[in-house]
Amino acid sequence: PRMRPAQDVVNRIKHDPEVPVEAMIVGYEDRFIGVVEMPFTSFNWTDDYAALGPLDVAIPKHRIVHFRCKDRVIWDRRQRLDHVFASTVGGRHLHEVLAEMRLAGELVVPEDAGKDDDEEEGKEETCCTKREDKKKMLDDEEEEFGECDDPWGNDSHSHDEDM
């Protein structure tokens, strides 16, 4: 049978309320250093790469090698493993895998997790808040390292104009 593509897995993770998005890891092929893993929430999953800003992180779907939930691989293109849609031989459905992980204590059920009193309630991370966080990080680095030296001899300037 034909294996479901990475885009289908991305859509399932994004839109299925049962899937713990914060526990998902994406492994993708970097052309220079090999397979790199990053949290699913680090990416901007829009299909319009031209609309992305300089601080957005996105990858072409054909570079995705695998998805993990915590330490368990749930989809792997190279091994033809699909524990999201069960589209390959021996594959299982994602909800079965998540239930098994919850029973084994590998995955905390969101209702049981409880919030710390120090956490901000109702603060939802969106692509806009991620972009603000990245901009703040860059601003902090500029503060730490100071203004850049302009090789053309112009007066010192702020990079805020460039954005």
Side-chain angles (χ1 to χ4, degrees), residues 1-150:
R2 205 176 147 101
M3 186 172 176
R4 297 283 290 266
Q7 179 63 51
D8 289 356
V9 179
V10 168
N11 289 337
R12 177 70 177 270
I13 293 170
K14 281 174 38 180
H15 300 294
D16 187 337
E18 300 287 319
V19 176
V21 178
E22 68 284 346
M24 296 296 171
I25 306 292
V26 179
Y28 67 94
E29 184 74 39
D30 181 279
R31 292 184 297 164
F32 303 106
I33 57 177
V35 177
V36 175
E37 289 189 330
M38 288 180 64
F40 184 88
T41 55
S42 297
F43 295 95
N44 183 327
W45 292 105
T46 184
D47 287 326
D48 184 8
Y49 295 119
L52 296 175
L55 301 177
D56 290 322
V57 177
I59 55 169
K61 308 306 179 288
H62 69 273
R63 291 203 181 275
I64 296 174
V65 176
H66 65 259
F67 291 90
R68 285 191 301 114
C69 181
K70 297 272 186 173
D71 292 330
R72 283 210 196 177
V73 176
I74 59 169
W75 186 94
D76 190 310
R77 180 173 34 92
R78 293 176 177 168
Q79 295 179 14
R80 291 196 44 80
L81 173 79
D82 181 2
H83 289 324
V84 178
F85 300 104
S87 67
T88 58
V89 175
R92 298 165 52 206
H93 289 277
L94 182 58
H95 290 281
E96 294 173 33
V97 175
L98 295 176
E100 183 180 289
M101 290 178 73
R102 286 185 181 107
L103 282 173
E106 297 173 42
L107 191 63
V108 178
V109 179
E111 293 82 31
D112 297 343
K115 287 192 170 188
D116 293 338
D117 294 336
D118 300 337
E119 286 183 12
E120 293 179 30
E121 284 200 38
K123 182 182 177 188
E124 185 175 318
E125 187 173 68
T126 64
C127 59
C128 294
T129 57
K130 288 182 198 171
R131 186 175 296 133
E132 290 167 6
D133 291 344
K134 289 178 184 174
K135 184 171 180 353
K136 183 179 178 340
M137 181 184 71
L138 291 173
D139 289 345
D140 290 346
E141 284 179 7
E142 190 171 289
E143 257 180 46
E144 184 179 338
F145 297 110
E147 293 289 327
C148 69
D149 295 326
D150 189 348

